[in-house]
Amino acid sequence: MSQIDGLIAHGVRNLQPYQPGKPVESLERELGLTDIIKLASNENPRGVSPLVVDAVNETLLSAARYPDGSGTSLKCKLAERLGVSTEEVTLGNGSNDVLDLVVRAFVNPGEEVVVSEHAFAVYVLASMSVNAQLHVVPASGFGHDLAAMSDAVTSKTKLVFVANPNNPTGTYSSREAVEKFLDLLPPTILAVLDEAYFEYVTNGDYPDGVTLLSRHPNLIVVRTFSKAYGLAGLRVGYGIASKEIAEVLNRVRHPFNVNALALAAAEAALGDETFLAESIKQNLEGLKQLASGLDKMGLDWIPSVANFICARVGRNAGQMYQMMLERGVIVRPVANYGLPEHLRISIGLESENARALKVLTEALTLSEV
Ligand code: PMP
């Protein structure tokens, strides 16, 4: 053990850093390829709204000034849109930041955090870093088993994370299941409902977490501008919770955690409903395109309501990921999510989806030789 090893905080000792999707530039450098497509980080393939570009350009001129540390203007717009008060909104540097704020503000070392198997990795990272005890509940059909998650709650539990829909599986929990879960949860335990992909879900029985807040003061709903709004690179997310909870989150929030360009961009993005509607429509079409292509290849896939789909490509998933990379298509291996035979493909433009399917077919054929 080196001297530094001995200094590491207990919770950080065994942490493995979050593995992001491979950036296009690294693949260009490594393989000398051009014309690479990245379907690895669930980004919006349409790019950004022109209204966002204008707002960012204008705000850039005042970049010498600190941003509004409370993000009042964006909070007002969000509060109005969501039918809540501004005091119930907490802004974050991406929704990751909000997830981390919740853990830092509320979870003591040794307290339990309940998560589902195959759930978004940041819940585990944030919890481990404060030395919490993790209770990972087996998934049911790749989705959260909310009844089992309720059963997993003990007197030591402080927080339960529910991703709805979940990444990387794309599965969702129905309104009935979420309501039942929240009804059973003791009011002294916090629930985070992570709705990063909320805007994409069109299923009638999918619950809007914000409508559940009035009945459940222990609930924190988390959303982001990174996905359907197309602002992943600018980092803006938000939490919606009671004023009491929001006030506590505000104590650990870094000053100016959301930068001026991001604040302006998010506000402008809220004003472009056409961009949002087109993004959602295109995503639904892309999901269908990928699902039918996977069917043609005879591959199983996990039904998804988000902007990605997990295909079961078999034991050679790692090798197939490499083969796809060599052909300029970046997807995401998900072995670290307990899915060693799957690859997650983000929904791209129609031509990108077609190319991913073509390259996956080639990889499948080659890996079978
Ligand atoms: N929650 C889920 C379920 C996610 O998939 C992601 C992004 N991968 C996030 C939260 C965090 O996204 P961001 O920080 O960009 O808002």
Side-chain angles (χ1 to χ4, degrees):
M1 197 163 73
S2 76
Q3 261 177 344
I4 295 296
D5 281 345
L7 297 177
I8 305 172
H10 295 301
V12 181
R13 221 160 262 179
N14 297 317
L15 275 191
Q16 295 297 325
Y18 179 78
Q19 291 173 16
K22 194 177 186 70
V24 168
E25 297 72 25
S26 349
L27 190 61
E28 274 174 357
R29 263 196 313 273
E30 286 167 23
L31 299 181
L33 293 176
T34 51
D35 194 23
I36 292 168
I37 57 168
K38 181 179 173 216
L39 301 176
S41 300
N42 306 339
E43 295 147 338
N44 189 329
R46 298 179 72 83
V48 273
S49 146
L51 299 191
V52 167
V53 175
D54 289 347
V56 168
N57 280 336
E58 199 188 315
T59 310
L60 193 54
L61 300 173
S62 344
R65 303 273 172 206
Y66 281 103
D68 170 1
S70 339
T72 311
S73 183
L74 174 59
K75 272 199 205 172
C76 283
K77 281 230 166 63
L78 277 171
E80 195 189 324
R81 184 70 61 94
L82 300 167
V84 299
S85 72
T86 50
E87 292 106 313
E88 292 167 294
V89 180
T90 305
L91 298 180
N93 189 246
S95 57
N96 254 318
D97 186 24
V98 182
L99 299 171
D100 204 49
L101 293 180
V102 173
V103 174
R104 281 199 288 129
F106 288 103
V107 182
N108 292 304
E111 286 181 333
E112 281 176 10
V113 175
V114 175
V115 298
S116 171
E117 181 189 16
H118 313 311
F120 182 48
V122 164
Y123 313 148
V124 170
L125 284 179
S127 306
M128 279 180 74
S129 71
V130 298
N131 226 357
Q133 284 292 320
L134 274 159
H135 190 140
V136 183
V137 176
S140 159
F142 298 108
H144 286 29
D145 184 343
L146 289 185
M149 288 175 78
S150 297
D151 291 344
V153 166
T154 70
S155 58
K156 282 166 83 188
T157 308
K158 176 58 78 64
L159 173 65
V160 186
F161 277 109
V162 175
N164 202 29
N166 183 43
N167 170 22
T169 55
T171 48
Y172 77 101
S173 303
S174 69
R175 168 173 279 275
E176 197 188 337
V178 173
E179 281 183 351
K180 195 166 172 196
F181 165 79
L182 291 173
D183 283 343
L184 287 173
L185 197 69
T188 49
I189 295 173
L190 294 171
V192 168
L193 199 51
D194 179 351
E195 297 184 338
Y197 302 92
F198 172 81
E199 295 81 7
Y200 286 119
V201 191
T202 54
N203 304 48
D205 63 345
Y206 173 68
D208 172 344
V210 176
T211 64
L212 306 173
L213 285 164
S214 57
R215 281 194 53 211
H216 300 282
N218 53 342
L219 175 63
I220 304 164
V221 177
V222 180
R223 293 194 187 156
T224 184
F225 283 93
S226 295
K227 308 297 173 184
Y229 286 103
L231 301 184
L234 283 169
R235 319 297 306 124
V236 201
Y238 54 100
I240 315 127
S242 70
K243 285 178 200 167
E244 289 75 12
I245 290 178
E247 189 277 318
V248 179
L249 297 179
N250 200 36
R251 295 184 203 175
V252 288
R253 191 175 62 85
H254 289 183
F256 312 110
N257 62 334
V258 185
N259 73 68
L261 303 184
L263 288 172
E267 226 180 299
L270 281 177
D272 195 343
E273 284 175 18
T274 313
F275 177 88
L276 184 68
E278 283 171 358
S279 300
I280 295 165
K281 182 167 169 278
Q282 185 166 25
N283 187 62
L284 287 171
E285 288 164 3
L287 268 173
K288 278 198 202 122
Q289 184 189 358
L290 280 178
S292 95
L294 294 170
D295 279 343
K296 284 196 193 116
M297 279 179 233
L299 293 179
D300 284 342
W301 41 274
I302 305 174
S304 169
V305 295
N307 66 343
F308 52 84
I309 188 164
C310 259
R312 184 174 196 160
V313 299
R315 276 182 294 121
N316 298 333
Q319 199 189 345
M320 289 173 63
Y321 164 69
Q322 277 302 331
M323 289 181 192
M324 293 182 78
L325 277 187
E326 284 155 22
R327 287 161 181 74
V329 177
I330 312 176
V331 295
R332 188 72 158 264
V334 280
N336 58 333
Y337 281 93
L339 296 166
E341 298 197 355
H342 286 77
L343 289 177
R344 192 194 69 192
I345 310 170
S346 302
I347 309 302
L349 302 173
E350 192 186 351
S351 57
E352 295 175 326
N353 300 332
R355 187 162 151 208
L357 287 167
K358 180 171 167 280
V359 164
L360 180 58
T361 311
E362 284 169 26
L364 202 60
T365 317
L366 286 171
S367 76
E368 279 164 359
V369 176

